[in-house]
Amino acid sequence: MGKQGNAHIVWDWNGTLFHDNVAIIGATNAAFAELGLEPITLERYRAMYCVPVPKFYERLMGRLPTDAEWQIMDETFHRYYAEHRRTCELTAGVPALLAGWGAAGRSQSLLSMYGHEDLVPLVRNFGIEPHFVRVDGRTGPSGGSKAEHMVRHLGAITGVEPSRVVVIGDAADDAIAARHVGAGAVLYTGGSHSRASLEVVGVPVVDSLEEAVEEAERLAA
């Protein structure tokens, strides 16, 4: 395998490996309803979404939510999402892509801002956990950036050089987290962001996970 054997992908979960757009938009609108806000369409969500999440709400409300409003919205979002994620599936082709990357002697891991205690059994139930050398979900409060989580995630994986790591995700924050640790990034248009909002980030943007893996192979070469 030579040099290529050390290439490593850090996968995002929500909106990337896990096609949960319907549950996400439903949970967002349930949270909005708690404050009497109008529902949002998926198209508007994808055009406006950003991290940290309170800034996303500011874009839509015209102001930052108060601490009390944020707590209500956050709790409502996670309660609704937990109920409706059960109808969601992996993005098409994911098992084969994971198997193919691993069969080529390369490693991969999963880092999500979804809560760790909820993430692990969900990944396990889909039967894909063995493909990853590490699976990490968010610990601590929700709503923040992935950057510091990425530092801890890669720090816990031995034998991985950041310059040979590529983060594949659906959000600008995935690229920011990759840049924070000196890794590459590829952004996928099938999740939380529109193509237009991803293209301003300055990393490769693709319309399928197959293309994402091809770009990851090129970037990690």
Side-chain angles (χ1 to χ4, degrees):
M1 298 304 297
K3 183 180 176 185
Q4 194 71 292
N6 297 320
H8 182 88
I9 290 175
V10 178
W11 291 96
D12 174 56
W13 179 245
N14 302 97
T16 304
L17 294 179
F18 190 41
H19 187 64
D20 60 349
N21 289 351
V22 171
I24 290 285
I25 194 66
T28 299
N29 283 330
F32 285 178
E34 288 292 316
L35 299 186
L37 301 174
E38 292 295 317
I40 185 174
T41 64
L42 178 59
E43 290 72 24
R44 182 163 168 76
Y45 178 95
R46 297 179 76 242
M48 300 289 285
Y49 182 73
C50 65
V51 172
V53 177
K55 292 291 290 182
F56 167 56
Y57 290 151
E58 181 183 26
R59 288 183 174 186
L60 298 170
M61 299 169 64
R63 62 174 176 81
L64 278 169
T66 65
D67 290 345
E69 288 172 334
W70 164 249
Q71 184 171 349
I72 290 170
M73 296 172 83
D74 191 47
E75 290 175 353
T76 302
F77 177 95
H78 285 98
R79 183 173 64 252
Y80 183 101
Y81 180 83
E83 295 171 2
H84 291 266
R85 73 183 188 194
R86 299 168 189 156
T87 64
C88 301
E89 298 289 342
L90 295 175
T91 302
V94 160
L97 284 173
L98 298 179
W101 183 264
R106 303 158 186 154
S107 60
Q108 54 200 324
S109 59
L110 174 58
L111 175 61
S112 174
M113 293 299 283
Y114 192 43
H116 184 77
E117 298 303 320
D118 294 313
L119 173 70
V120 172
L122 187 56
V123 173
R124 190 168 293 153
N125 287 343
F126 279 113
I128 59 174
E129 186 183 24
H131 293 297
F132 305 115
V133 297
R134 188 172 181 88
V135 174
D136 283 327
R138 187 198 76 250
T139 57
S142 62
S145 174
K146 186 178 274 188
E148 291 305 320
H149 294 271
M150 186 68 72
V151 172
R152 291 191 292 272
H153 180 74
L154 288 184
I157 301 173
T158 58
V160 172
E161 292 293 330
S163 62
R164 307 296 313 289
V165 172
V166 178
V167 177
I168 297 179
D170 69 315
D173 190 52
D174 292 302
I176 293 169
R179 200 169 292 152
H180 187 68
V181 295
V186 181
L187 298 179
Y188 164 60
T189 63
S192 63
H193 282 39
S194 66
R195 171 174 276 276
S197 62
L198 292 176
E199 286 179 337
V200 301
V201 181
V203 302
V205 177
V206 299
D207 296 319
S208 72
L209 294 185
E210 289 84 359
E211 293 174 273
V213 170
E214 290 171 5
E215 281 293 324
E217 185 173 357
R218 181 183 65 81
L219 290 172

